[in-house]
Amino acid sequence: MANGRVVQTADRILGSRQLAALLPAEVRARPGYRALADAVRKLILDGRIALHVRLPAERELAEALGASRATVTGAYDLLRESGYVRSRRGSGTWTELPEGHDPVGAHLLAGSGGYLPDGEPGIDLAIAALGAPEDSLTEALAWAAPRLPRLARSPGYHPFGLPDLRSAVAERFTRRGLATRPEQILVTAGAQQAFSLVMSLLCGPGDRVVTESPTYANALDALRHARLRTGSIAVSDAGWDMEIAESTLRQTVPRLAYVIPDFHNPTGLLMPQEQRLRLLAATRRTGTWLVVDETIADIALDVPAPAPLASLAPRGGAEHVVTIGSLSKTHWGGLRVGWVRATAKMITELAAVKVAADMTGSVLDQLVAQPLLEGLERTLPPRLAQLREQREALVAALERHTPEWSWERGPGGLSLWVDLGEPVSSALAERAGACGVHIGRGARFGVDPGTFEHRLRIPYTLAADRLDEAVRRLAAAFHDGVPLAPAVERPHWVA
């Protein structure tokens, strides 16, 4: 898995042997300067070499590759000319991105929704989530209606969440293999609030935090707004490289690590059990809080749904693990119900942070959530079958309209992480927006600003005909390079 590694060292220096191990076998075997430059460029774009890392000296890399120094010099010259590295006498050669690859943050988010000039609705691929299951939602509302008057006689403040819902969440964790008591559950307004509360409690400005790269875009925004120093562990098409993950944890000793091991967003990959055990052990050794995002853990399309990562720890060995989740992906994002699972002591501390932020959650939302959560085993299978069909429809559309693009099909999740073959993601997303297709450009998911410019996250959460039309419009924008309609200025975000 050498080609899946990321370099994120404490002193930001990449050794010659480390770089050689990251290169494709064919480049290591017969390194030409153009092939070497192209391979390094792809490693930078894919986030496997972090930005602002010093590359090895030309002589050292030439020795490690068994190549001439002229070959490495030529490769570095090409990388400098194209803007992927910069050199300064006496300080070496450092990775960067060309001009135009701007940082990604909330101020650059651009819109979902939209309409074409003829009034035809736009196609929203920026949000990887399904609409509500109408029958189940109707049944849940009918179940909640006669119970609401009793709750309405109280002031309505439940800072920890409704007791019955806390019990239901705890029971579900227990059924999945992680024994949990209700006092270990805090109900939140979705998983995003859950993460923000955990981050506020555990971290302060300037603390080090490690995340996967790519990762959930809104989590990255939360980290940036909190002014945390963010390091990364690459997730490539081959998955996680735990050697580099362990090295990063050991060298940076971060305060917190945020991971999505279950049908990772945006790649859809599932972390193997052996790697989960290593991650548990490594974070425990470094005293790092491990925040596990299970928002998509139930979207298991090709394999059984995994047990909670914390359930793999030996008795008493998971107290540093905080698990967050919600009903947003299994049911509906409009139902703002999520949760934190941690030690009872931490839950009490988190509740105090939550009260300072919003006093309490919506009683009605929580009341509706209880039968939805308790009936998940009954209602989820048809939703998963729908997603499988829509995934096949998206794959067929991509093969038909954009055969030059590539992707790996993960065993679950809600999207494909598509490789465009060239760093045009932001430009393509802009052009596609003019055609009424709104999509999350790859750079939104990278820890380092401007990385993943050759990627698009394409969800398969729409009907088959809408997916085909969306890909057709993306293909037209990609192949023609000409907007089909004037761009519409709208806020752009992803979920």
Side-chain angles (χ1 to χ4, degrees):
M1 287 194 35
N3 290 340
R5 294 179 179 174
V6 67
V7 175
Q8 182 79 38
T9 61
D11 52 5
R12 313 285 290 189
I13 298 174
L14 175 58
S16 58
R17 292 185 179 179
Q18 286 179 291
L19 177 53
L22 288 167
L23 296 170
E26 60 271 19
V27 175
R28 295 197 304 270
R30 300 185 64 182
Y33 77 98
R34 290 188 182 276
L36 178 57
D38 188 56
V40 173
R41 177 184 67 84
K42 289 179 179 177
L43 289 169
I44 295 171
L45 283 172
D46 215 20
R48 286 176 280 171
I49 297 178
L51 296 181
H52 314 302
V53 165
R54 191 170 79 185
L55 295 177
E58 295 171 3
R59 176 183 55 78
E60 294 174 356
L61 182 57
E63 290 177 358
L65 292 174
S68 69
R69 183 168 179 177
T71 296
V72 177
T73 299
Y76 278 18
D77 285 345
L78 284 179
L79 290 167
R80 274 187 289 269
E81 291 169 9
S82 57
Y84 287 92
V85 302
R86 59 178 171 81
S87 297
R88 184 175 178 181
R89 184 178 297 277
S91 64
T93 299
W94 298 75
T95 59
E96 63 178 16
L97 287 170
E99 290 186 16
H101 291 249
D102 296 325
V104 179
H107 63 291
L108 294 176
L109 305 182
S112 62
Y115 290 83
L116 292 174
D118 61 4
E120 181 184 354
I123 302 175
D124 195 343
L125 292 178
I127 298 177
L130 293 165
E134 294 183 16
D135 291 346
S136 300
L137 188 58
T138 299
E139 293 172 3
L141 286 166
W143 182 91
R147 292 165 172 81
L148 184 59
R150 176 179 59 82
L151 290 170
R153 297 187 192 106
S154 74
Y157 291 90
H158 301 271
F160 289 89
L162 290 181
D164 287 349
L165 180 57
R166 296 177 75 197
S167 295
V169 175
E171 173 59 26
R172 177 156 175 77
F173 270 110
T174 300
R175 289 200 310 271
R176 294 175 57 221
L178 180 60
T180 302
R181 304 184 308 277
E183 56 265 34
Q184 292 180 269
I185 299 297
L186 175 72
V187 178
T188 63
Q192 184 68 14
Q193 187 191 57
F195 179 59
S196 295
L197 292 172
V198 171
M199 184 178 60
S200 297
L201 177 66
L202 298 180
C203 301
D207 280 350
R208 289 186 179 274
V209 175
V210 166
T211 78
E212 299 144 326
S213 188
T215 190
Y216 182 50
N218 293 329
L220 286 175
D221 285 342
L223 294 170
R224 292 178 181 123
H225 294 163
R227 303 195 303 276
L228 300 176
R229 293 185 292 168
T230 310
S232 62
I233 300 168
V235 181
S236 69
D237 288 340
W240 293 258
D241 189 323
M242 288 311 300
E243 290 183 18
I244 294 298
E246 290 165 335
S247 174
T248 299
L249 288 165
R250 184 171 58 252
Q251 294 182 35
T252 62
V253 192
R255 175 71 174 161
L256 181 149
Y258 169 78
V259 296
I260 312 173
D262 307 314
F263 315 121
H264 174 264
N265 184 2
T267 67
L269 296 173
L270 180 65
M271 182 182 286
Q273 180 167 315
E274 181 268 338
Q275 293 188 354
R276 293 168 183 250
L277 291 169
R278 291 175 65 179
L279 182 61
L280 279 167
T283 50
R284 187 170 176 80
R285 282 194 301 270
T286 57
T288 298
W289 290 100
L290 178 60
V291 179
V292 179
D293 189 340
E294 285 196 339
T295 307
I296 313 181
D298 287 309
I299 311 299
L301 302 181
D302 301 327
V303 296
L309 188 148
S311 68
L312 299 177
R315 186 175 182 84
E319 292 188 352
H320 70 298
V321 181
V322 180
T323 305
I324 63 176
S326 79
L327 294 178
S328 296
K329 305 303 185 182
T330 55
H331 288 83
W332 187 36
L335 192 66
R336 301 311 300 157
V337 174
W339 50 82
V340 182
R341 192 268 182 200
T343 63
K345 178 178 182 295
M346 177 176 285
I347 292 300
T348 299
E349 294 171 347
L350 285 169
V353 176
K354 184 176 184 296
V355 166
D358 71 351
M359 297 295 292
T360 189
S362 164
V363 170
L364 181 57
D365 279 19
Q366 293 180 55
L367 193 59
V368 172
Q370 183 181 333
L372 292 175
L373 185 65
E374 292 174 342
L376 188 61
E377 276 69 23
R378 175 178 58 86
T379 59
L380 187 58
R383 303 272 276 178
L384 298 182
Q386 174 189 350
L387 284 169
R388 291 186 193 99
E389 292 178 2
Q390 291 172 187
R391 182 179 62 178
E392 293 309 309
L394 175 57
V395 167
L398 290 168
E399 290 174 342
R400 178 162 52 252
H401 299 299
T402 56
E404 65 271 52
W405 295 357
S406 62
W407 59 90
E408 293 292 330
R409 192 183 319 205
L414 296 162
S415 59
L416 296 180
W417 187 230
V418 177
D419 189 337
L420 307 176
E422 52 185 302
V424 295
S425 173
S426 293
L428 177 57
E430 180 117 2
R431 293 170 186 161
C435 307
V437 177
H438 300 276
I439 192 164
R441 57 196 179 109
R444 283 287 290 119
F445 303 88
V447 171
D448 287 317
T451 51
F452 302 110
E453 267 296 315
H454 60 308
R455 294 278 189 170
L456 282 180
R457 187 191 70 169
I458 307 183
Y460 37 82
T461 50
L462 301 179
D465 60 336
R466 299 299 283 164
L467 289 170
D468 185 76
E469 176 62 16
V471 176
R472 186 193 68 78
R473 295 186 194 182
L474 285 172
F478 181 78
H479 293 134
D480 297 340
V482 178
L484 302 180
V488 179
E489 289 291 332
R490 296 182 183 274
H492 185 189
W493 61 290
V494 297

